[in-house]
Amino acid sequence: MFQRLCIHVIQRLRPVHAHLYLQPGMEDCSDDMDGPVEDIGSRSCVTRFVKTLLSIMEHGVKPHSKHLTEYFAFLYEFAKMGEEESQFLLSLQAISTMVHFYMGTKGPENPQVEVLSEEEGEEEEEEEDILSLAEEKYRPAALEKMIALIALLVEQSRSERHLTLSQNDMAALTGGKGFPFLFQHIRDGINIRQTCNLIFSLCRYNNRLAEHIVSMLFTSIAKLTPEAANPFFKLLTMLMEFAGGPPGMPPFASYILQRIWEVIEYNPSQCLDWLAVQTPRNKLAHSWVLQNMENWVERFLLAHNYPRVRTSAAYLLVSLIPSNSFRQMFRSTRSLHIPTRDLPLSPDTTVVLHQVYNVLLGLLSRAKLYVDAAVHGTTKLVPYFSFMTYCLISKTEKLMFSTYFMDLWNLFQPKLSEPAIATNHNKQALLSFWYNVCVDCPENVRLIVQNPVVTKNIAFNYILADHDDQDVVLFNRGMLPAYYGILRLCCEQSPAFTRQLASHQNIQWAFKNLTPHASQYPGAVEELFNLMQLFVAQRPDMREEEIEDIKQFKKTTISCYLRCLDGRSCWTTLISAFRILLESDEDRLLVVFNRGLILMTESFNTLHMMYHEATACHVTGDLVELLSIFLSVLKSTRPYLQRKDVKQALIQWQERIEFAHKLLTLLNSYSPPELRNACIDVLKELVLLSPHDFLHTLVPFLQHNHCTYHHSNIPMSLGPYFPCRENLKLIGGKSNIRPPRPELNMCLLPTMVEASKGKDDVYDRMLLDYFFSYHQFIHLLCRVAINCEKFTETLVKMSVLVAYEGLPLHLALFPKLWTELCQTQSAMSKNCVKLLCEDPVFAEYIKCILMDERTFLNNNIVYTFLTHFLLKVQGQVFSEANCANLINTLITNLINQYQSLESDFSNQRVEISKASSTLNGDLRALALLLSVHTPKQLNSALIPTLQELLNKCRACQQQRNSLQEQEAKERKTKDDEGATPVKRRRVSSDEEHTVDIGDIKAEPREALTPTSTSDNETRDSSIIDPGTEQDPPSPESSSVKEYRMEVPSSFSEDIMLAARSQHTEEQPGNGKFEECKEFKDLQTSKDSMGAEEDSEFPSTSISAVLSDLADLRSCDGQALPSQDPETNLSISCGHSRGLFSHMQQHDILDILCRTIESTIHVVTRISGKGNQAAS
């Protein structure tokens, strides 16, 4: 504040006193102006005050001058007021005073002057000793104004081309050896910017002085430590940046660049870093560094012993490329394996890049001088290859390398590849460059594979696989991907090299010692498995010996893995390897013979444990892939079960029962669908391979599980994958939720069903997708049990309990199985039917169909099933009164339904579909009930209602026929334009074929099997009726039983029929199960109706049925109702059950008309009998 007050006072006095500043004292009252210099300024109080301040410095720093910052700030502000003030200070030789003051504080005993605090100053106010500024080098701001003042005064002293400084001032600034004042305050880092201005002022029109000062700067840099030399480099940067300005300035840039090499030996890293900063800014520096590359690149980038210097040389090379993005990306790159990609450079920039890159390529031949680890270490070439890798911005740079290929090879082999050095970073950097120069450049790869010397020796490369040494692991993680990547690129281009490499001992070593450690070497393991895929790939033009080589490679590698892998920890390697190697049954049987099933079971057990206990581990994908391999291996054994070696290998797999139980514990709503389906596929195959073992162990477990959920009051825990109408979008976010414990939970209790069949299309599809494959598995157990004579009471109870749970799904698996059993005249089947009829759950199953699921009766399989069994259990299902009440209720509902139909019945296609399905189900239920109970009196309105309903249906048929003719004409027109698709021809040829109501009613998606990990072939072959395949050898008997099910009506069809009611009319024996069979006591009607159907609806082959189902599957794939161009089947948008609007309405009307006719006939007969009894 005092300094500002003084300046303010002087500014107020200046107009009056300024002309007095340079006048001598007037004590003698004379006008003599030539008084002594010491008297200058004595006439003004301002100048006297300033002289007094300057006198303080003549005796060093006293306690009363402790605030140097304010002291020099005042003098600096005073000098800036005008020319009079500057000339006054110059006349007093203030520059000399300040220099001597500053240098006086730098003596050997007193190197700095201490600025004391206020309290210390007051205590020592009277002392006259010189004080020190010991810490001032850390606070140079105290003297910054002094340097600024000196620079200002020097510039103010200029008179055209000369300085008018006194000899004392000039000597103080430039005198002495090595410019001590300049050296000292530069070293102290005091106001380098003003120091630069001071040098500019001193050296203007004085090139010689400029050269001496530059020489002093470099001499100082050579003598000082890197840290102490920083201010000098900062000053050099400022001198280099000067451009333009007033005339007379010396060429500092030229002087500096000429002298830089003199000191680079003493401080190379700092000099290179300084040049790296200057080259992008200064064209002269850029040109000079670029033209002298031959003199410094090898010297500092390759030969120098210090890594810091080599890194600085690399950065200097980067700075030569005139592209900011190029320089910045290099500075942020941390990996040797990431060259510059998609970096657009201007033509001029590319020219410079190629100039630099060519110089580096030329050094490849000399690089071998620096690879001897004993002399040069193992890192000298890292910056060199790192920068060359970074230069690969396009294929042009890669092709530039081609002429230097042998220089690189001679550098790699043998001096880098053969020495037993654990972590040779030179080799890592070289391989990284070599790999990147070959990627997307087949010309460079061809140089390798066409050189016999290279192909013979490239596989020899010393690798230390010490998985416990972290340094070795990190080194291999960087080096091995590049090395094996080069080998992969060569194999992709040369089949001969591929065969040669596949048999090399080092490749088998890598498979054995590296691939089991995928977590430590992810990149290398990925490349090794890519190589493995190339080794086993077959081409059409392969010779026999090549195919044999492949077989031998697979055999050797599979055997190696089966010997060395620990299944408990190396499941990732096992999955990846087997996925590639197991291509044929021979490969898979090799796994079976060499205890591979035991190894995979160990892996499965570990994954099973991690899946339930380690919440941070995401092993679902590994589980699914492992089970897929399991399935393929197990399938491969089925055709060879008669071989003793296969039987023995399966017998040795003692963990199979525990394995199956763990598979069952993955069947719950916490497991994603792909995992559940994979487990079920494997379970099916296990049952087919060893039916006796698994029937004995799995059936009681399954039965107990289902009974527990039915009889327990504990609320069921449902996971995120259980079908739910609400919060469907949250399923994906909950995929990491684990079950509380491993559990089998595929039970579907009535309380868990949110909507009955047909109410919600999406929900129905979700429910079916979730449960269908499990019900298939239960059905398979029953089929296998029949073939093995193991259909126990427990299995019967489980079968009916699961069928009862699956009623909301409308699956026809259970009805078809028991219908066939009922028709089989064998002791076992009769006993099973007896056990079934005694089970109270079975009575509840039938009652539920007749009471709540009557649309299920639209399926002919179900309807036929009830015609067989309702009579057997009618007493358990309904009492006489309940049956009569249900009949009356059905009749009332039929009448009400008809009355609620719209008058324009023929035009309401969607309404027809809905009403027809319900009406047909109710009519069939009524017929079944009338077959077991004859009521005393029927509603008189029933027959008239049925007659009117029949008339309306026939009217709709006529309208449909006319519409069908019109569509046929349009279709014919389209067919003339192109070939008729196969599926369209089949639909048109089967127009007269009747599809059951159940076909129409079921969801289009139902024909689809839920997604599985295996392909379609695997899914289909895994669910084959044991009666149609060669059965596994049974300990009791190997002969086929008489009652074994036949091919056409068995399991392969059941799977399709379960999802959608199938064309049961296509089977020759099923034609009799039409409406005529509604009453067993009406034989005449039954015969006539059966004959009519046999003639009107001819059966077709099984292959046609499956083909049609395949067509329907293709239709089902449509997410939204749309027109299928191949089948010409349109899906009705408004139909709540996803009906086919034309073909299926045709079937609905046909079936409904025939059902109504049959019902009228039966009701008339019953009414006639009732009238006769009354009379």
Side-chain angles (χ1 to χ4, degrees):
M1 289 298 293
F2 180 71
Q3 169 244 335
R4 293 170 60 188
L5 176 62
C6 294
I7 292 296
H8 176 70
V9 171
I10 292 173
Q11 287 175 338
R12 298 294 296 271
L13 295 174
R14 189 174 188 279
V16 178
H17 288 255
H19 67 284
L20 302 175
Y21 289 170
L22 298 177
Q23 294 184 13
M26 300 298 294
E27 289 84 358
D28 54 359
C29 297
S30 67
D31 293 332
D32 185 6
M33 302 297 295
D34 297 324
V37 175
E38 289 77 6
D39 294 336
I40 293 177
S42 299
R43 293 188 178 184
S44 170
C45 61
V46 174
T47 51
R48 289 196 299 272
F49 175 72
V50 172
K51 288 175 66 175
T52 304
L53 285 178
L54 288 174
S55 67
I56 297 175
M57 288 188 288
E58 295 176 359
H59 307 288
V61 179
K62 300 296 181 180
H64 56 266
S65 59
K66 51 186 172 291
H67 295 295
L68 290 179
T69 303
E70 289 79 4
Y71 175 77
F72 288 111
F74 168 78
L75 293 176
Y76 182 58
E77 292 296 326
F78 175 75
K80 290 196 303 181
M81 284 184 179
E83 184 178 355
E84 294 86 351
E85 287 82 357
S86 300
Q87 291 301 323
F88 170 70
L89 292 175
L90 288 170
S91 66
L92 295 180
Q93 300 182 0
I95 293 177
S96 302
T97 304
M98 289 185 285
V99 169
H100 294 316
F101 161 75
Y102 174 72
M103 297 302 292
T105 66
K106 301 298 177 183
E109 298 178 0
N110 216 8
Q112 301 282 341
V113 178
E114 182 182 5
V115 179
L116 301 179
S117 64
E118 242 180 76
E119 293 78 6
E120 292 170 339
E122 291 173 358
E123 293 171 1
E124 303 176 13
E125 190 173 1
E126 301 300 325
E127 293 182 10
E128 296 294 325
D129 296 336
I130 300 296
L131 304 177
S132 68
L133 284 166
E135 300 300 323
E136 193 59 36
K137 65 177 180 177
Y138 300 108
R139 291 177 279 120
L143 298 175
E144 283 187 356
K145 295 295 184 181
M146 180 189 76
I147 304 300
L149 175 59
I150 293 175
L152 175 65
L153 293 177
V154 171
E155 185 60 31
Q156 290 294 331
S157 70
R158 178 167 299 282
S159 174
E160 295 184 358
R161 300 172 63 92
H162 303 286
L163 296 176
T164 58
L165 291 176
S166 66
Q167 291 184 356
N168 290 338
D169 285 350
M170 196 63 168
L173 291 173
T174 61
K177 184 179 180 180
F179 305 99
F181 171 70
L182 291 176
F183 166 79
Q184 192 63 52
H185 83 263
I186 293 172
R187 181 180 179 180
D188 289 343
I190 302 174
N191 205 340
I192 302 299
R193 170 55 63 188
Q194 289 299 333
T195 301
C196 180
N197 293 335
L198 173 61
I199 293 174
F200 285 151
S201 298
L202 290 173
C203 297
R204 190 177 173 189
Y205 297 109
N206 192 346
N207 290 2
R208 184 181 179 191
L209 178 61
E211 289 187 36
H212 285 303
I213 290 177
V214 169
S215 178
M216 178 272 293
L217 295 177
F218 283 109
T219 302
S220 303
I221 290 173
K223 293 180 179 179
L224 296 173
T225 63
E227 182 181 358
N230 281 332
F232 292 88
F233 279 106
K234 186 177 180 181
L235 179 59
L236 288 176
T237 299
M238 294 178 182
L239 294 175
M240 288 286 293
E241 289 174 349
F242 181 80
M249 282 295 178
F252 281 102
S254 298
Y255 298 159
I256 293 172
L257 292 175
Q258 290 169 6
R259 300 294 301 273
I260 188 71
W261 295 121
E262 296 178 8
V263 298
I264 200 166
E265 287 294 338
Y266 301 100
N267 203 340
S269 178
Q270 249 180 331
C271 290
L272 292 171
D273 289 342
W274 181 81
L275 284 172
V277 174
Q278 296 306 312
T279 48
R281 302 176 180 176
N282 191 296
K283 291 183 178 181
L284 182 62
H286 180 276
S287 176
W288 184 84
V289 172
L290 188 63
Q291 292 171 3
N292 288 273
M293 287 182 63
E294 289 78 5
N295 300 328
W296 63 269
V297 173
E298 180 181 353
R299 179 180 171 191
F300 296 109
L301 185 65
L302 297 177
H304 207 280
N305 291 325
Y306 291 105
R308 181 74 181 84
V309 174
R310 297 194 297 270
T311 303
S312 297
Y315 275 100
L316 177 56
L317 286 172
V318 174
S319 70
L320 288 173
I321 312 303
S323 168
N324 288 330
S325 57
F326 186 91
R327 291 190 293 267
Q328 292 167 0
M329 288 179 65
F330 181 80
R331 295 178 187 278
S332 63
T333 299
R334 295 292 179 265
S335 172
L336 292 171
H337 304 293
I338 306 177
T340 310
R341 299 288 187 187
D342 301 327
L343 185 62
L345 298 180
S346 66
D348 294 339
T349 302
T350 305
V351 169
V352 176
L353 175 66
H354 289 176
Q355 183 179 350
V356 174
Y357 182 56
N358 263 322
V359 171
L360 296 179
L361 288 173
L363 293 175
L364 274 172
S365 59
R366 295 191 54 78
K368 59 186 177 183
L369 302 174
Y370 309 106
V371 296
D372 187 347
V375 178
H376 300 283
T378 60
T379 61
K380 271 199 170 181
L381 303 182
V382 173
Y384 170 64
F385 281 112
S386 177
F387 178 72
M388 284 213 297
T389 302
Y390 189 69
C391 289
L392 302 175
I393 63 173
S394 67
K395 190 173 181 179
T396 304
E397 290 75 26
K398 297 177 182 181
L399 293 175
M400 290 170 63
F401 159 79
S402 299
T403 56
Y404 300 92
F405 167 71
M406 288 309 299
D407 292 336
L408 181 76
W409 172 251
N410 293 329
L411 176 62
F412 174 71
Q413 207 278 333
K415 293 187 176 182
L416 286 176
S417 61
E418 293 184 4
I421 302 173
T423 57
N424 192 335
H425 296 281
N426 288 333
K427 178 168 66 175
Q428 177 184 359
L430 181 147
L431 289 172
S432 175
F433 169 72
W434 196 1
Y435 170 73
N436 284 295
V437 88
C438 290
V439 172
D440 299 326
C441 188
E443 294 85 353
N444 286 339
V445 179
R446 202 173 297 121
L447 294 173
I448 301 174
V449 297
Q450 292 180 353
N451 190 315
V453 176
V454 177
T455 56
K456 180 181 178 181
N457 294 284
I458 192 172
F460 292 102
N461 178 28
Y462 177 80
I463 300 169
L464 176 63
D466 186 351
H467 311 300
D468 298 323
D469 189 327
Q470 192 62 24
D471 291 337
V472 175
V473 170
L474 290 175
F475 170 77
N476 286 337
R477 190 178 296 173
M479 184 266 289
L480 294 178
Y483 175 61
Y484 290 121
I486 295 170
L487 297 182
R488 171 182 56 80
L489 292 172
C490 295
C491 289
E492 289 174 347
Q493 191 166 121
S494 172
F497 180 78
T498 303
R499 297 271 61 83
Q500 176 185 337
L501 187 64
S503 59
H504 200 280
Q505 58 184 2
N506 285 356
I507 289 297
Q508 286 296 329
W509 177 91
F511 288 147
K512 178 181 178 180
N513 293 282
L514 296 178
T515 56
H517 303 276
S519 60
Q520 291 179 303
Y521 316 110
V525 171
E526 181 183 358
E527 288 290 0
L528 282 169
F529 282 127
N530 290 337
L531 280 172
M532 186 184 292
Q533 284 183 319
L534 294 171
F535 293 158
V536 302
Q538 295 190 20
R539 305 184 316 278
D541 58 342
M542 269 191 169
R543 302 188 306 273
E544 283 295 329
E545 54 267 27
E546 291 180 311
I547 296 176
E548 286 301 319
D549 288 343
I550 291 177
K551 290 182 179 179
Q552 185 60 39
F553 168 78
K554 290 197 292 185
K555 183 177 180 180
T556 303
T557 310
I558 291 172
S559 301
C560 172
Y561 277 127
L562 292 175
R563 287 193 307 270
C564 74
L565 284 184
D566 182 359
R568 293 166 296 182
S569 59
C570 299
W571 68 85
T572 304
T573 303
L574 184 144
I575 291 170
S576 300
F578 282 4
R579 192 169 47 196
I580 297 170
L581 297 171
L582 303 186
E583 295 182 321
S584 64
D585 283 353
E586 183 181 354
D587 304 329
R588 299 181 185 100
L589 287 176
L590 183 62
V591 173
V592 176
F593 296 150
N594 290 275
R595 300 173 60 84
L597 290 173
I598 299 174
L599 183 70
M600 291 193 293
T601 304
E602 292 175 352
S603 296
F604 173 80
N605 291 338
T606 300
L607 290 172
H608 185 272
M609 180 271 295
M610 295 177 66
Y611 180 79
H612 290 96
E613 297 182 9
T615 55
C617 296
H618 303 283
V619 295
T620 304
D622 291 337
L623 270 172
V624 172
E625 292 192 15
L626 180 62
L627 291 175
S628 176
I629 296 171
F630 246 121
L631 183 64
S632 66
V633 172
L634 293 175
K635 278 182 176 298
S636 68
T637 63
R638 216 178 336 146
Y640 308 100
L641 283 176
Q642 302 304 323
R643 288 171 47 174
K644 291 183 179 180
D645 51 355
V646 175
K647 289 182 181 179
Q648 187 63 29
L650 292 175
I651 291 172
Q652 291 177 353
W653 184 31
Q654 298 178 357
E655 300 85 358
R656 60 187 182 277
I657 303 298
E658 180 188 358
F659 172 62
H661 277 276
K662 287 188 176 181
L663 287 175
L664 287 174
T665 61
L666 290 172
L667 302 182
N668 53 60
S669 53
Y670 290 93
S671 298
E674 61 272 16
L675 178 58
R676 290 197 311 272
N677 290 327
C679 292
I680 291 174
D681 286 343
V682 177
L683 283 167
K684 289 175 182 176
E685 200 61 38
L686 290 173
V687 171
L688 292 176
L689 285 177
S690 184
H692 296 279
D693 289 343
F694 290 103
L695 286 172
H696 179 72
T697 56
L698 297 187
V699 170
F701 178 75
L702 292 166
Q703 165 70 0
H704 174 73
N705 179 269
H706 282 272
C707 288
T708 300
Y709 285 117
H710 278 275
H711 300 148
S712 173
N713 294 325
I714 301 175
M716 191 179 299
S717 174
L718 297 179
Y721 293 101
F722 189 82
C724 178
R725 298 178 74 184
E726 302 295 332
N727 301 326
L728 298 180
K729 295 181 180 179
L730 298 179
I731 290 180
K734 298 181 180 179
S735 58
N736 59 344
I737 297 178
R738 295 289 191 272
R741 63 184 180 280
E743 64 175 6
L744 167 63
N745 184 358
M746 293 299 288
C747 182
L748 181 61
L749 300 179
T751 55
M752 298 164 62
V753 181
E754 300 182 18
S756 59
K757 183 74 171 178
K759 299 293 184 183
D760 186 334
D761 239 8
V762 175
Y763 178 71
D764 288 347
R765 188 175 297 114
M766 292 173 59
L767 207 61
L768 187 70
D769 288 347
Y770 183 85
F771 284 103
F772 183 47
S773 57
Y774 178 72
H775 283 259
Q776 283 182 314
F777 170 62
I778 300 300
H779 188 68
L780 175 66
L781 285 174
C782 297
R783 292 282 185 181
V784 171
I786 294 172
N787 289 347
C788 297
E789 296 186 38
K790 294 288 185 180
F791 212 138
T792 61
E793 181 179 0
T794 303
L795 183 54
V796 171
K797 290 181 177 294
M798 184 190 71
S799 172
V800 69
L801 185 58
V802 173
Y804 174 73
E805 295 175 6
L807 264 177
L809 308 175
H810 286 198
L811 298 178
L813 298 171
F814 177 82
K816 182 166 178 58
L817 171 71
W818 285 97
T819 300
E820 294 176 1
L821 268 179
C822 186
Q823 294 172 340
T824 304
Q825 301 300 320
S826 68
M828 190 205 70
S829 62
K830 291 179 181 179
N831 182 57
C832 290
V833 170
K834 180 175 177 294
L835 292 173
L836 177 68
C837 294
E838 292 174 354
D839 193 335
V841 178
F842 180 60
E844 189 66 26
Y845 173 79
I846 292 180
K847 182 179 179 180
C848 186
I849 292 176
L850 295 173
M851 294 285 290
D852 303 321
E853 304 289 346
R854 288 191 291 274
T855 54
F856 195 17
L857 292 171
N858 290 323
N859 190 323
N860 284 350
I861 298 292
V862 181
Y863 180 66
T864 304
F865 165 77
L866 284 182
T867 62
H868 283 286
F869 284 95
L870 181 58
L871 192 60
K872 298 178 185 294
V873 294
Q874 58 174 325
Q876 303 174 44
V877 178
F878 294 115
S879 64
E880 291 287 332
N882 289 340
C883 188
N885 290 337
L886 181 56
I887 290 173
N888 291 332
T889 301
L890 285 173
I891 293 173
T892 303
N893 287 344
L894 285 168
I895 296 173
N896 292 337
Q897 273 187 288
Y898 171 73
Q899 292 174 352
S900 64
L901 290 176
E902 304 235 352
S903 59
D904 192 8
F905 184 68
S906 59
N907 293 328
Q908 301 298 324
R909 292 180 175 255
V910 174
E911 292 299 323
I912 290 174
S913 302
K914 292 181 180 179
S916 298
S917 178
T918 306
L919 286 170
N920 196 69
D922 287 352
L923 287 171
R924 286 191 165 187
L926 177 61
L928 287 168
L929 291 171
L930 290 175
S931 69
V932 297
H933 176 76
T934 304
K936 296 179 180 180
Q937 186 176 1
L938 292 172
N939 191 321
S940 58
L942 177 59
I943 294 179
T945 300
L946 293 176
Q947 290 286 1
E948 294 179 13
L949 180 60
L950 180 60
N951 294 335
K952 287 198 173 185
C953 287
R954 286 174 176 168
C956 286
Q957 283 181 309
Q958 293 178 358
Q959 183 186 9
R960 179 213 56 214
N961 292 336
S962 61
L963 180 61
Q964 185 177 351
E965 291 176 2
Q966 181 180 352
E967 290 179 353
K969 292 179 181 179
E970 295 176 356
R971 187 163 60 247
K972 184 177 180 181
T973 303
K974 293 180 181 179
D975 291 346
D976 292 340
E977 298 174 1
T980 304
V982 175
K983 296 179 181 178
R984 183 180 300 171
R985 288 201 300 269
R986 179 161 53 248
V987 171
S988 61
S989 64
D990 290 344
E991 281 182 358
E992 297 304 321
H993 180 70
T994 300
V995 180
D996 189 55
I997 294 292
D999 296 355
I1000 298 147
K1001 159 193 175 309
E1003 286 294 325
R1005 179 76 176 271
E1006 291 180 8
L1008 287 174
T1009 302
T1011 55
S1012 170
T1013 56
S1014 56
D1015 55 15
N1016 293 334
E1017 180 183 351
T1018 300
R1019 293 281 304 167
D1020 293 340
S1021 59
S1022 69
I1023 47 178
I1024 298 173
D1025 181 10
T1028 67
E1029 291 283 327
Q1030 182 181 11
D1031 292 307
S1034 171
E1036 295 86 351
S1037 171
S1038 61
S1039 61
V1040 180
K1041 305 301 178 183
E1042 291 181 355
Y1043 51 83
R1044 193 164 290 179
M1045 302 301 168
E1046 296 300 328
V1047 173
S1049 60
S1050 189
F1051 194 47
S1052 58
E1053 276 190 344
D1054 285 352
I1055 298 311
M1056 313 303 180
L1057 288 164
R1060 175 179 300 147
S1061 305
Q1062 294 306 322
H1063 308 316
T1064 56
E1065 302 86 350
E1066 294 177 355
Q1067 302 179 26
N1070 285 348
K1072 59 185 178 180
F1073 295 135
E1074 276 300 339
E1075 279 72 10
C1076 56
K1077 195 159 182 195
E1078 292 167 354
F1079 311 102
K1080 295 185 178 181
D1081 58 339
L1082 304 178
Q1083 188 63 40
T1084 305
S1085 174
K1086 170 182 173 181
D1087 294 341
S1088 62
M1089 289 295 291
E1092 178 186 349
E1093 290 182 7
D1094 288 340
S1095 61
E1096 186 177 357
F1097 305 108
S1099 62
T1100 58
S1101 65
I1102 294 299
S1103 60
V1105 175
L1106 297 178
S1107 179
D1108 287 340
L1109 289 173
D1111 293 346
L1112 291 177
R1113 282 194 185 93
S1114 67
C1115 297
D1116 294 342
Q1118 303 294 329
L1120 294 174
S1122 63
Q1123 181 75 21
D1124 190 328
E1126 290 189 355
T1127 61
N1128 201 27
L1129 296 176
S1130 60
I1131 302 176
S1132 174
C1133 298
H1135 200 308
S1136 63
R1137 304 183 186 187
L1139 303 177
F1140 294 130
S1141 62
H1142 168 65
M1143 177 182 174
Q1144 295 191 349
Q1145 285 185 22
H1146 175 186
D1147 299 329
I1148 288 172
L1149 292 175
D1150 286 345
I1151 297 296
L1152 182 57
C1153 288
R1154 287 171 19 228
T1155 303
I1156 295 172
E1157 290 173 355
S1158 300
T1159 308
I1160 292 173
H1161 178 69
V1162 172
V1163 173
T1164 303
R1165 291 282 301 275
I1166 293 177
S1167 299
K1169 290 182 179 180
N1171 293 334
Q1172 292 175 7
S1175 62

